[in-house]
Amino acid sequence: MAANKAPPRWLPFVVLGIGLLAISFGAILARLAQRHGLPSLTIATLRLGLAALLITPIALWQSGRALRTLNLRQGLLTAGAGFFLALHFATWITSLEYTSVASSTALVTTNLLWIGLASFVLFGDRPRRLMAIGIVISLAGSLLIFWSDSRTSAAGSHPLLGNFLALVGSWCFSSYLLIGRRLRASLPLPAYVWLAYGSAAIFLLFACQASGTSLTGYAGAAYLVALGMALGPQLLGHTSYNWSLKHVSPTFIAVVTLGEPVGSAGLAWLFFAESFAWLQGIGFVLLLVGIYLAARGEGQ
């Protein structure tokens, strides 16, 4: 009975904050892996594959019964979640080759808009007034970051392509969260995470095989960066989001992800000297205000 006891109301918000901090390093580590010579598809495959391998003992130990009694519907939904997660990382990490960290993360985190629309159309979810205000302010911040970044010389080698790929990544991550909302109601976290990450890694392995992308032959430092992505942004970051799906709405989680451009842009400035204009700074402030208001709305 104790295992089913609801956590304190504040705990999901703390967990999401930790997850956001970890995920903010995702773009930085991906860009670093690219500079070490890893293709984007290899980075995505290693990130998810290593994460699935690392969590295997925990999943089998804590959720062995749930995995053994997995039904066909759960299996198909998990495969669907893995497919969209694989496509999310393949498109988003590739976008970092062509556009700036700020633009890429600002666009890939617009899943808030798509999840809000899909939740309303498919499930009839109506956001509370305060959350709706937070959504509007957060999206305004994202658009301001993107517009300002597109006017700078550091926008990337092919901003239009990179921004489109980041947007596709946002659509795929929205689908992943909406499927996860249903699965998390019937699957324990270790089982769901292991199945989702593992199936995504398998899809990416097939993509590597089909495209002739190698997973071996790179410098040891490149694999260390990939391991860091699996431990930090993936296991700590994304798993925090997956745990929270059982306690807060997918719409609110999407709002929280809008804070990623703030952290990623700051880290990109620190590590890669990617500067950002004052308009982007205003966008970052709007993002944080929107997240705060949405958190208040979710708390109600």
Side-chain angles (χ1 to χ4, degrees):
M1 294 297 290
N4 296 324
K5 184 178 178 181
R9 290 179 66 92
W10 53 265
L11 185 58
F13 300 101
V14 173
V15 170
L16 282 171
I18 295 172
L20 176 61
L21 179 62
I23 282 180
S24 294
F25 279 90
I28 306 305
L29 291 172
R31 176 67 63 81
L32 188 59
Q34 289 169 344
R35 291 189 174 186
H36 278 293
L38 284 181
S40 296
L41 196 56
T42 300
I43 296 171
T45 306
L46 290 175
R47 170 173 173 161
L48 286 162
L50 289 172
L53 287 174
L54 289 170
I55 204 171
T56 295
I58 299 174
L60 296 178
W61 175 48
Q62 292 191 351
S63 305
R65 185 176 183 277
L67 291 171
R68 288 192 298 271
T69 58
L70 195 72
N71 58 47
L72 179 61
R73 176 180 175 276
Q74 290 173 321
L76 292 174
L77 284 175
T78 303
F83 172 77
F84 284 114
L85 186 62
L87 197 55
H88 160 72
F89 281 116
T91 53
W92 171 62
I93 293 176
T94 303
S95 78
L96 291 167
E97 296 181 23
Y98 303 107
T99 192
S100 70
V101 168
S103 275
S104 177
T105 52
L107 282 173
V108 82
T109 53
T110 55
N111 46 66
L112 166 65
L113 175 61
W114 319 120
I115 285 182
L117 291 173
S119 294
F120 175 72
V121 172
L122 298 177
F123 309 127
D125 292 348
R126 294 180 180 270
R128 295 181 181 273
R129 182 181 178 184
L130 202 56
M131 176 175 277
I133 294 173
I135 288 173
V136 172
I137 293 176
S138 298
L139 284 174
S142 289
L143 290 173
L144 191 59
I145 292 170
F146 170 59
W147 179 72
S148 176
D149 184 71
S150 67
R151 299 169 66 235
T152 68
S153 59
S157 61
H158 199 323
L160 185 61
L161 174 60
N163 293 338
F164 173 72
L165 289 171
L167 192 59
V168 173
S170 176
W171 296 337
C172 294
F173 192 66
S174 301
S175 302
Y176 166 69
L177 284 179
L178 287 169
I179 295 173
R181 178 195 197 192
R182 296 303 187 194
L183 281 170
R184 280 290 289 122
S186 59
L187 280 179
L189 179 64
Y192 171 66
V193 165
W194 183 68
L195 290 168
Y197 296 175
S199 60
I202 291 172
F203 281 119
L204 288 168
L205 281 171
F206 280 119
C208 286
Q209 183 68 26
S211 63
T213 303
S214 177
L215 296 176
T216 60
Y218 305 102
Y223 291 107
L224 286 177
V225 174
L227 179 60
M229 293 183 71
L231 289 171
Q234 193 62 41
L235 284 179
L236 182 58
H238 274 262
T239 303
S240 298
Y241 287 1
N242 285 319
W243 177 85
S244 301
L245 276 172
K246 198 169 184 177
H247 308 290
V248 297
S249 69
T251 302
F252 176 68
I253 293 177
V255 172
V256 172
T257 64
L258 285 172
E260 184 181 346
V262 180
S264 294
L267 292 169
W269 171 79
L270 181 64
F271 290 104
F272 304 129
E274 285 193 10
S275 60
F276 49 88
W278 65 272
L279 281 177
Q280 287 176 296
I282 296 175
F284 296 154
V285 172
L286 289 176
L287 279 173
L288 294 176
V289 170
I291 291 172
Y292 170 75
L293 292 176
R296 291 287 301 273
E298 181 75 14
Q300 292 173 359

